[in-house]
Amino acid sequence: MQQAQPTDEMVPESGTSPAAGTARTAVATAVGTAVENVLNRGLNVRHIRFMALGSAIGTGLFYGSASAIQKAGPAVLFAYMIGGAAVFMVMRALGEMAVRHPVSGSFGQYASRYLGPLAGFVTGWTYVFEMAIVAIADVTAFSIYMGFWFPEVERWVWILAIIFLLAALNLLSVKVFGELEFWFTLVKVAAIIAMIAGGAAILAFGLQNGDASAAPGLGNLVEHGGLFPNGFEGLLASFAVVMFAFGGIETIGITAGEAADPKKVIPKAVNTVPVRVLLFYVLTLGVLMSLFPWNEVGSNGSPFVQIFSGLGIPAAPHILNAVVITAALSAINSDIFGAGRILFGLAQQGHAPQSFGRVSRHGVPWMTVVMMAGILLVGVVLNAVIPENVFLLIASIATFATVWVWVMILSSHVAMKREISRNGLPASDFPSPLWPAASILAIAFMGLVIGVLGFFEDTRVALYVGAAWLGLLVVAYRLWVKGNGRRRAHLEDETSPLPVVASGQN
C-alpha cells in the first residue's frame, strides 16, 4: 500500500551494495523509519460497519433530533429521507475512490490528487475542524446526559474526565479500538431497535401517557398543526441539524488505510451503513413523534429519556440515559479516530507537521490523539462560560464543515470519473450508481444546505465562521506549505488488472 512505499524503494539497494555491513545498516534504518510511519491494517468489515454507525448514530439522533423536530415538526422525517439519500450518494462516491485508492488520508488525498494540492489541504484541515467541532458538541451532550443523574455537578467536570479517558483509549492498537467501538455501537443500535419495537407495541395496544396532552397514536403526526406545522420554511431550517446528524459517516472512507481487505470491506460497509442509518433515524423519530406530540418534545436532555419517563416505564429513563451516554462516548471516539487519520494523511502530503505522521509501536498516530485531546479542552471552556444554547451553535458550524467536505468528496469523484473516461483507464471495481446525474444533484443539494445556514438568523454565524475558516486555510497554504506539499498527491491505482488486459485500446 501507499504508506509502505519508502520501504519498497529502499530494499532493493541492500542486495546490490558490496559493502554488506554498511548497506544492511542503512536499509535497516530506512525500513525502521518507514515502519514508524505505517498504520496497521487491523480492521475488518464488522469493525468498519460499526465504527461508521457509531459516528453517525449518536448525538445528532439522541439529542439534536429535538432541535430538528422543533423546527420542522413531523416534516422532519422528509428532511432525514432527503438528506439520507444525498449522503448515500456521497458515500458511494467516496467508496469508489477508497476502493481504487485505499489510503489513510482518504478524501484529503483524493482532493489533492484530482482537484489540486490546495483543495487537498483545505479539505483535510476542514475535516479535522469538523471532527473537532462535532466532538465538542458530543462532549457537550455527554455532560448534559450526566446531569440527568448528577444535576449538582458542573458540566465541565464530566467533559474533562471523558477527554482523558478517551485519549487513553485511542492510544491503543487499531484492532482493540475497532473492537471497543463495535461493542459501544452494538449497545446503542440494540437500544434503538428496542425503542422502535417498544414504541410500536405501545401504539398497537393504545397505552395512555398520563403526562401528555394527547394519547399515543399515529394521529400525533398530523393533529398538531399538520404534517408541515411550520411550513416549507421549517423543513428547510431543519436541514442545519439533520445534516449534522449524518456527519461522521464518511469515517468509512478513512478506514480504508487500515482495512484488512479494502476491496471487500469498503463496498459492504458503504452499501449497508447509510441505509441502516436512514432507517434508524426515520423509524425512531416516527415512533417518537407518534408517542408524544411533536410540539411537546423539548430539548432539556435527550428526548428519548423524556418520552419514556412520561410513559411511566419503570427504570426506562435510567436505562436510556446509560444508552445515550454510551452513544456519546462512541461518537467522540470515532471523531478522534477520524481526525487523527486525516492528520496522518496531511503529514504524509507535507500539509501538516511531520510529527503527525509518526506512529507508536501499536501503529497509532499518537500526536494526533494528543492534539484532539487539546482541542476538546475548548469544550470545557465553552461549557463553563456559555453552557446554554451552545449545542445549536456548534451543530450549525459543524454542519457547514461537514457539507463542505462532502462537496469536496463529490467534486473529487467527478474529476476522477472524467479522468478515467478521458484516459481510457479501467472501470472502477465499485462504481457509483446513476452517474453523473445523482452526483450533480447531490452537489446541488449540498449547496442548498449551505444557503440554508445563511438564510436563518440562528445559524447564520456558522456561514461566517465557515467562510473565515476557509479564508484562513488559503492564507496558511500560501504562507507555509512548500516543496512536496505544493504537488498533487501520488496515489496507487489498485483497480483489478483484468479490465486493463481486456480493454486494450479497442
Side-chain angles (χ1 to χ4, degrees):
M1 298 302 168
Q2 187 196 8
Q3 291 88 343
Q5 284 177 356
T7 303
D8 296 333
E9 292 170 2
M10 291 290 185
V11 168
E13 295 179 8
S14 64
T16 59
S17 173
T22 304
R24 279 195 297 269
T25 302
V27 171
T29 302
V31 171
T33 302
V35 169
E36 288 177 356
N37 292 278
V38 176
L39 300 180
N40 290 338
R41 289 192 176 275
L43 298 177
N44 57 37
V45 67
R46 175 172 57 88
H47 296 147
I48 292 174
R49 280 180 179 173
F50 277 79
M51 284 171 62
L53 279 170
S55 185
I57 299 180
T59 307
L61 173 62
F62 290 111
Y63 182 69
S65 56
S67 298
I69 289 171
Q70 290 304 312
K71 288 181 179 295
V76 75
L77 298 178
F78 295 107
Y80 279 104
M81 291 179 191
I82 296 169
V87 169
F88 179 69
M89 294 314 304
V90 174
M91 294 310 303
R92 283 302 300 261
L94 179 57
E96 181 174 350
M97 292 188 291
V99 170
R100 200 174 190 99
H101 309 294
V103 295
S104 58
S106 190
F107 38 82
Q109 297 215 41
Y110 304 149
S112 178
R113 166 65 179 80
Y114 292 105
L115 301 177
L118 175 59
F121 179 84
V122 171
T123 301
W125 278 105
T126 300
Y127 179 77
V128 173
F129 177 69
E130 171 199 341
M131 286 295 97
I133 295 297
V134 169
I136 290 173
D138 288 335
V139 295
T140 299
F142 170 78
S143 67
I144 292 172
Y145 301 154
M146 294 303 295
F148 179 78
W149 286 331
F150 307 99
E152 71 283 357
V153 179
E154 295 289 339
R155 289 183 185 177
W156 65 267
V157 175
W158 296 116
I159 294 176
L160 195 62
I162 204 60
I163 289 172
F164 286 114
L165 173 64
L166 292 182
L169 185 64
N170 272 267
L171 291 174
L172 300 173
S173 71
V174 71
K175 187 173 183 179
V176 174
F177 171 79
E179 284 294 328
L180 290 170
E181 191 63 21
F182 167 78
W183 290 106
F184 269 150
T185 305
L186 188 62
V187 169
K188 60 185 175 184
V189 169
I192 291 172
I193 293 173
M195 186 270 176
I196 294 172
I202 292 171
L203 294 173
F205 293 107
L207 299 178
Q208 176 67 44
N209 178 3
D211 296 331
S213 61
L218 295 177
N220 282 327
L221 295 175
V222 294
E223 292 174 357
H224 304 278
L227 196 58
F228 289 81
N230 296 328
F232 184 68
E233 183 175 307
L235 176 67
L236 285 178
S238 71
F239 279 119
V241 179
V242 168
M243 300 313 289
F244 164 78
F246 286 118
I249 197 170
E250 63 275 6
T251 303
I252 294 176
I254 297 172
T255 60
E258 291 168 270
D261 186 357
K263 289 188 179 182
K264 178 187 295 185
V265 169
I266 299 299
K268 286 184 178 180
V270 167
N271 282 334
T272 59
V273 172
V275 175
R276 291 180 184 182
V277 169
L278 180 59
L279 289 176
F280 284 148
Y281 273 92
V282 173
L283 286 178
T284 304
L285 296 185
V287 168
L288 190 152
M289 288 185 289
S290 297
L291 292 175
F292 217 70
W294 71 269
N295 53 349
E296 295 182 24
V297 178
S299 56
N300 184 21
S302 169
F304 299 100
V305 173
Q306 290 179 284
I307 294 298
F308 279 90
S309 178
L311 289 171
I313 299 175
H318 296 283
I319 295 171
L320 281 169
N321 201 53
V323 170
V324 296
I325 286 172
T326 302
L329 293 175
S330 172
I332 299 165
N333 224 12
S334 292
D335 298 338
I336 295 173
F337 172 88
R341 271 46 179 186
I342 289 292
L343 278 170
F344 179 84
L346 287 168
Q348 288 188 317
Q349 297 176 76
H351 290 168
Q354 290 302 304
S355 58
F356 291 149
R358 297 182 65 84
V359 300
S360 69
R361 59 189 178 88
H362 298 297
V364 174
W366 64 274
M367 271 295 294
T368 64
V369 175
V370 173
M371 176 180 171
M372 281 300 293
I375 291 174
L376 285 177
L377 291 175
V378 175
V380 178
V381 177
L382 286 176
N383 281 272
V385 178
I386 49 170
E388 300 301 326
N389 300 320
V390 71
F391 182 84
L392 181 60
L393 172 64
I394 292 174
S396 299
I397 295 173
T399 298
F400 174 87
T402 299
V403 172
W404 178 266
V405 168
W406 289 343
V407 168
M408 299 305 287
I409 290 172
L410 290 166
S411 300
S412 300
H413 178 254
V414 169
M416 184 189 77
K417 296 289 279 189
R418 288 178 175 174
E419 183 173 307
I420 291 172
S421 177
R422 183 172 60 251
N423 297 337
L425 300 176
S428 299
D429 294 325
F430 184 53
S432 180
L434 303 177
W435 165 262
S439 296
I440 294 172
L441 287 174
I443 292 174
F445 173 75
M446 298 305 170
L448 172 66
V449 174
I450 292 177
V452 165
L453 291 176
F455 183 78
F456 295 97
E457 185 175 355
D458 56 351
T459 58
R460 193 170 298 150
V461 65
L463 203 59
Y464 299 149
V465 172
W469 170 257
L470 295 179
L472 286 173
L473 286 180
V474 172
V475 173
Y477 176 83
R478 301 296 183 193
L479 291 178
W480 291 307
V481 176
K482 307 294 181 183
N484 290 334
R486 293 294 186 102
R487 299 187 178 94
R488 289 177 182 262
H490 171 72
L491 304 178
E492 294 295 333
D493 191 333
E494 299 197 9
T495 306
S496 297
L498 290 178
V500 178
V501 176
S503 61
Q505 294 295 327
N506 294 337

Short mmCIF file of all heavy atoms in Angstrom, two decimals, residues 301-340:
data_model
loop_
_atom_site.label_atom_id
_atom_site.label_comp_id
_atom_site.label_asym_id
_atom_site.label_seq_id
_atom_site.Cartn_x
_atom_site.Cartn_y
_atom_site.Cartn_z
N GLY A 301 -32.35 17.78 27.80
CA GLY A 301 -31.91 16.40 27.88
C GLY A 301 -32.37 15.63 26.65
O GLY A 301 -32.99 16.18 25.76
N SER A 302 -32.06 14.35 26.62
CA SER A 302 -32.41 13.53 25.48
C SER A 302 -33.92 13.39 25.36
O SER A 302 -34.60 13.09 26.34
CB SER A 302 -31.80 12.14 25.60
OG SER A 302 -32.34 11.27 24.63
N PRO A 303 -34.49 13.60 24.17
CA PRO A 303 -35.94 13.44 24.01
C PRO A 303 -36.39 12.02 24.31
O PRO A 303 -37.52 11.80 24.74
CB PRO A 303 -36.19 13.82 22.54
CG PRO A 303 -34.86 13.69 21.88
CD PRO A 303 -33.85 14.04 22.92
N PHE A 304 -35.54 11.03 24.10
CA PHE A 304 -35.92 9.65 24.36
C PHE A 304 -36.11 9.41 25.85
O PHE A 304 -37.01 8.68 26.27
CB PHE A 304 -34.86 8.70 23.80
CG PHE A 304 -34.71 8.83 22.31
CD1 PHE A 304 -33.67 9.56 21.76
CD2 PHE A 304 -35.64 8.27 21.46
CE1 PHE A 304 -33.55 9.71 20.40
CE2 PHE A 304 -35.53 8.41 20.09
CZ PHE A 304 -34.49 9.13 19.56
N VAL A 305 -35.27 10.00 26.67
CA VAL A 305 -35.44 9.89 28.11
C VAL A 305 -36.74 10.55 28.54
O VAL A 305 -37.50 10.02 29.36
CB VAL A 305 -34.24 10.51 28.85
CG1 VAL A 305 -34.50 10.55 30.35
CG2 VAL A 305 -32.97 9.74 28.55
N GLN A 306 -37.04 11.73 27.96
CA GLN A 306 -38.26 12.43 28.30
C GLN A 306 -39.49 11.61 27.93
O GLN A 306 -40.45 11.52 28.70
CB GLN A 306 -38.31 13.77 27.55
CG GLN A 306 -37.30 14.80 28.05
CD GLN A 306 -37.40 16.08 27.26
OE1 GLN A 306 -36.95 16.16 26.13
NE2 GLN A 306 -38.01 17.07 27.86
N ILE A 307 -39.48 11.01 26.75
CA ILE A 307 -40.62 10.26 26.27
C ILE A 307 -40.93 9.09 27.21
O ILE A 307 -42.05 8.92 27.69
CB ILE A 307 -40.38 9.72 24.85
CG1 ILE A 307 -40.27 10.88 23.85
CG2 ILE A 307 -41.49 8.77 24.42
CD1 ILE A 307 -41.52 11.72 23.74
N PHE A 308 -39.94 8.26 27.49
CA PHE A 308 -40.18 7.08 28.30
C PHE A 308 -40.41 7.42 29.76
O PHE A 308 -41.09 6.69 30.47
CB PHE A 308 -39.02 6.08 28.14
CG PHE A 308 -39.14 5.27 26.88
CD1 PHE A 308 -38.58 5.71 25.70
CD2 PHE A 308 -39.85 4.09 26.87
CE1 PHE A 308 -38.70 4.98 24.54
CE2 PHE A 308 -39.98 3.35 25.71
CZ PHE A 308 -39.41 3.80 24.54
N SER A 309 -39.87 8.53 30.21
CA SER A 309 -40.18 8.99 31.56
C SER A 309 -41.65 9.36 31.66
O SER A 309 -42.34 9.03 32.63
CB SER A 309 -39.30 10.19 31.92
OG SER A 309 -39.61 10.66 33.21
N GLY A 310 -42.15 10.04 30.63
CA GLY A 310 -43.56 10.42 30.59
C GLY A 310 -44.49 9.24 30.50
O GLY A 310 -45.60 9.25 31.03
N LEU A 311 -44.04 8.18 29.83
CA LEU A 311 -44.86 6.98 29.69
C LEU A 311 -44.89 6.14 30.97
O LEU A 311 -45.66 5.20 31.07
CB LEU A 311 -44.35 6.12 28.53
CG LEU A 311 -44.61 6.70 27.13
CD1 LEU A 311 -43.88 5.90 26.08
CD2 LEU A 311 -46.10 6.72 26.83
N GLY A 312 -44.02 6.47 31.93
CA GLY A 312 -44.06 5.79 33.22
C GLY A 312 -43.51 4.38 33.22
O GLY A 312 -43.89 3.57 34.06
N ILE A 313 -42.61 4.05 32.29
CA ILE A 313 -42.00 2.72 32.28
C ILE A 313 -40.91 2.68 33.36
O ILE A 313 -39.99 3.48 33.34
CB ILE A 313 -41.40 2.42 30.89
CG1 ILE A 313 -42.51 2.44 29.84
CG2 ILE A 313 -40.68 1.07 30.89
CD1 ILE A 313 -42.00 2.27 28.42
N PRO A 314 -40.99 1.73 34.30
CA PRO A 314 -40.03 1.68 35.41
C PRO A 314 -38.59 1.58 34.93
O PRO A 314 -38.27 0.75 34.09
CB PRO A 314 -40.45 0.43 36.18
CG PRO A 314 -41.89 0.23 35.82
CD PRO A 314 -42.02 0.69 34.40
N ALA A 315 -37.75 2.41 35.46
CA ALA A 315 -36.30 2.40 35.21
C ALA A 315 -35.92 2.72 33.77
O ALA A 315 -34.73 2.83 33.46
CB ALA A 315 -35.68 1.07 35.60
N ALA A 316 -36.88 2.90 32.87
CA ALA A 316 -36.55 3.16 31.47
C ALA A 316 -35.73 4.44 31.28
O ALA A 316 -34.78 4.45 30.50
CB ALA A 316 -37.81 3.22 30.62
N PRO A 317 -36.05 5.52 31.98
CA PRO A 317 -35.23 6.73 31.80
C PRO A 317 -33.76 6.50 32.14
O PRO A 317 -32.88 7.00 31.44
CB PRO A 317 -35.88 7.73 32.76
CG PRO A 317 -37.28 7.28 32.88
CD PRO A 317 -37.21 5.78 32.83
N HIS A 318 -33.50 5.74 33.20
CA HIS A 318 -32.12 5.49 33.59
C HIS A 318 -31.41 4.58 32.59
O HIS A 318 -30.23 4.77 32.27
CB HIS A 318 -32.07 4.88 34.99
CG HIS A 318 -32.59 5.79 36.06
ND1 HIS A 318 -31.86 6.85 36.56
CD2 HIS A 318 -33.79 5.84 36.68
CE1 HIS A 318 -32.57 7.50 37.47
NE2 HIS A 318 -33.75 6.90 37.56
N ILE A 319 -32.13 3.58 32.09
CA ILE A 319 -31.55 2.68 31.10
C ILE A 319 -31.23 3.45 29.82
O ILE A 319 -30.13 3.33 29.27
CB ILE A 319 -32.53 1.53 30.78
CG1 ILE A 319 -32.71 0.66 32.03
CG2 ILE A 319 -32.01 0.69 29.62
CD1 ILE A 319 -33.80 -0.38 31.89
N LEU A 320 -32.17 4.27 29.39
CA LEU A 320 -31.95 5.03 28.15
C LEU A 320 -30.86 6.07 28.33
O LEU A 320 -30.10 6.34 27.39
CB LEU A 320 -33.25 5.71 27.72
CG LEU A 320 -34.25 4.78 27.01
CD1 LEU A 320 -35.60 5.46 26.86
CD2 LEU A 320 -33.72 4.37 25.65
N ASN A 321 -30.75 6.65 29.52
CA ASN A 321 -29.70 7.62 29.74
C ASN A 321 -28.33 6.95 29.66
O ASN A 321 -27.37 7.52 29.12
CB ASN A 321 -29.87 8.30 31.10
CG ASN A 321 -29.16 9.63 31.18
OD1 ASN A 321 -29.35 10.50 30.32
ND2 ASN A 321 -28.30 9.81 32.18
N ALA A 322 -28.25 5.72 30.16
CA ALA A 322 -26.99 4.97 30.04
C ALA A 322 -26.68 4.69 28.57
O ALA A 322 -25.52 4.74 28.15
CB ALA A 322 -27.09 3.65 30.82
N VAL A 323 -27.72 4.42 27.79
CA VAL A 323 -27.53 4.15 26.36
C VAL A 323 -27.03 5.38 25.63
O VAL A 323 -26.09 5.31 24.83
CB VAL A 323 -28.84 3.64 25.73
CG1 VAL A 323 -28.71 3.60 24.21
CG2 VAL A 323 -29.20 2.26 26.26
N VAL A 324 -27.64 6.54 25.90
CA VAL A 324 -27.23 7.75 25.18
C VAL A 324 -25.84 8.19 25.62
O VAL A 324 -25.10 8.81 24.84
CB VAL A 324 -28.26 8.90 25.34
CG1 VAL A 324 -29.59 8.51 24.69
CG2 VAL A 324 -28.47 9.28 26.80
N ILE A 325 -25.47 7.88 26.85
CA ILE A 325 -24.10 8.16 27.29
C ILE A 325 -23.12 7.29 26.50
O ILE A 325 -22.08 7.76 26.03
CB ILE A 325 -23.95 7.93 28.80
CG1 ILE A 325 -24.62 9.08 29.57
CG2 ILE A 325 -22.48 7.82 29.21
CD1 ILE A 325 -24.70 8.85 31.06
N THR A 326 -23.47 6.01 26.34
CA THR A 326 -22.65 5.11 25.52
C THR A 326 -22.56 5.63 24.09
O THR A 326 -21.49 5.58 23.47
CB THR A 326 -23.25 3.69 25.52
OG1 THR A 326 -23.34 3.22 26.87
CG2 THR A 326 -22.39 2.74 24.71
N ALA A 327 -23.68 6.12 23.57
CA ALA A 327 -23.70 6.66 22.20
C ALA A 327 -22.77 7.84 22.06
O ALA A 327 -22.04 7.98 21.07
CB ALA A 327 -25.13 7.06 21.83
N ALA A 328 -22.78 8.72 23.05
CA ALA A 328 -21.90 9.89 23.01
C ALA A 328 -20.44 9.47 23.06
O ALA A 328 -19.60 9.99 22.32
CB ALA A 328 -22.23 10.84 24.16
N LEU A 329 -20.12 8.51 23.94
CA LEU A 329 -18.75 8.02 24.04
C LEU A 329 -18.29 7.43 22.71
O LEU A 329 -17.17 7.67 22.25
CB LEU A 329 -18.64 6.96 25.14
CG LEU A 329 -18.84 7.44 26.58
CD1 LEU A 329 -18.83 6.25 27.53
CD2 LEU A 329 -17.77 8.44 26.97
N SER A 330 -19.17 6.66 22.08
CA SER A 330 -18.85 6.05 20.79
C SER A 330 -18.59 7.11 19.73
O SER A 330 -17.63 7.02 18.96
CB SER A 330 -20.01 5.14 20.36
OG SER A 330 -19.83 4.68 19.05
N ALA A 331 -19.45 8.13 19.69
CA ALA A 331 -19.30 9.18 18.69
C ALA A 331 -18.01 9.97 18.89
O ALA A 331 -17.28 10.25 17.94
CB ALA A 331 -20.50 10.11 18.73
N ILE A 332 -17.70 10.32 20.14
CA ILE A 332 -16.46 11.05 20.43
C ILE A 332 -15.25 10.22 20.03
O ILE A 332 -14.28 10.73 19.46
CB ILE A 332 -16.39 11.43 21.92
CG1 ILE A 332 -17.55 12.34 22.31
CG2 ILE A 332 -15.07 12.15 22.23
CD1 ILE A 332 -17.76 12.46 23.81
N ASN A 333 -15.31 8.95 20.33
CA ASN A 333 -14.24 8.03 19.98
C ASN A 333 -13.97 8.04 18.48
O ASN A 333 -12.84 8.12 18.02
CB ASN A 333 -14.64 6.62 20.43
CG ASN A 333 -13.52 5.88 21.10
OD1 ASN A 333 -12.49 6.46 21.44
ND2 ASN A 333 -13.69 4.59 21.30
N SER A 334 -15.05 7.94 17.69
CA SER A 334 -14.91 7.95 16.23
C SER A 334 -14.41 9.30 15.73
O SER A 334 -13.66 9.37 14.75
CB SER A 334 -16.25 7.61 15.57
OG SER A 334 -16.61 6.27 15.82
N ASP A 335 -14.85 10.37 16.38
CA ASP A 335 -14.38 11.71 15.99
C ASP A 335 -12.86 11.81 16.13
O ASP A 335 -12.17 12.33 15.24
CB ASP A 335 -15.05 12.78 16.86
CG ASP A 335 -16.56 12.82 16.70
OD1 ASP A 335 -17.06 12.34 15.67
OD2 ASP A 335 -17.24 13.31 17.62
N ILE A 336 -12.35 11.35 17.25
CA ILE A 336 -10.91 11.41 17.50
C ILE A 336 -10.17 10.54 16.48
O ILE A 336 -9.13 10.93 15.94
CB ILE A 336 -10.59 10.96 18.94
CG1 ILE A 336 -11.19 11.95 19.94
CG2 ILE A 336 -9.08 10.86 19.15
CD1 ILE A 336 -11.07 11.51 21.39
N PHE A 337 -10.70 9.36 16.22
CA PHE A 337 -10.09 8.45 15.24
C PHE A 337 -10.03 9.10 13.86
O PHE A 337 -8.98 9.12 13.21
CB PHE A 337 -10.90 7.15 15.17
CG PHE A 337 -10.47 6.22 14.06
CD1 PHE A 337 -9.45 5.30 14.27
CD2 PHE A 337 -11.08 6.27 12.82
CE1 PHE A 337 -9.05 4.45 13.25
CE2 PHE A 337 -10.69 5.43 11.80
CZ PHE A 337 -9.67 4.52 12.00
N GLY A 338 -11.17 9.63 13.40
CA GLY A 338 -11.24 10.21 12.06
C GLY A 338 -10.29 11.38 11.88
O GLY A 338 -9.55 11.45 10.89
N ALA A 339 -10.32 12.31 12.82
CA ALA A 339 -9.45 13.47 12.73
C ALA A 339 -7.98 13.06 12.75
O ALA A 339 -7.16 13.60 11.99
CB ALA A 339 -9.74 14.44 13.87
N GLY A 340 -7.65 12.08 13.59
CA GLY A 340 -6.26 11.63 13.69
C GLY A 340 -5.75 11.04 12.40
O GLY A 340 -4.62 11.31 11.98
#
